Amino acid sequence: SDTGFWIYNPDTETIESYHLPLNDKNAEIYEITKASTGDIYMGTSQGVFVYDPIKKQCKQHITIKDGLPNQYVRSILEDKHKN
């Protein structure tokens, strides 16, 4: 899949690209949110991907099988309990 995202590091003035392990070449990223843990959560047309910027890898893929009501995630918010 060519679906992915770019991260800009203002300290080094570098840009790195990352690709998500999506099953559909037409998959889309709708939302990107950085959690208080530093992880980056991406709402996509195939659920939520959790990206670890330290290890530079996708560490979790949350889908309908994990309890999402459907595969399209267009918004992500962290609550006061950091969930």
Side-chain angles (χ1 to χ4, degrees):
S1 167
D2 288 333
T3 302
F5 59 100
W6 299 82
I7 294 180
Y8 173 69
N9 183 330
D11 296 330
T12 61
E13 296 185 354
T14 57
I15 299 173
E16 294 184 65
S17 67
Y18 300 93
H19 297 279
L20 296 177
L22 299 169
N23 298 326
D24 180 354
K25 68 179 180 175
N26 296 318
E28 297 178 343
I29 298 173
Y30 301 121
E31 171 79 357
I32 300 176
T33 300
K34 185 174 182 180
S36 59
T37 61
D39 290 336
I40 298 171
Y41 285 73
M42 287 162 278
T44 74
S45 57
Q46 292 185 10
V48 176
F49 287 85
V50 182
Y51 177 79
D52 182 334
I54 303 297
K55 294 182 179 178
K56 298 183 179 183
Q57 66 184 17
C58 183
K59 68 183 217 178
Q60 187 176 10
H61 181 202
I62 304 166
T63 66
I64 295 171
K65 293 176 184 177
D66 301 303
L68 291 179
N70 66 57
Q71 67 185 14
Y72 296 95
V73 177
R74 299 181 191 269
S75 182
I76 300 172
L77 298 171
E78 184 174 70
D79 68 16
K80 65 181 179 181
H81 303 289
K82 302 184 189 248
N83 295 312

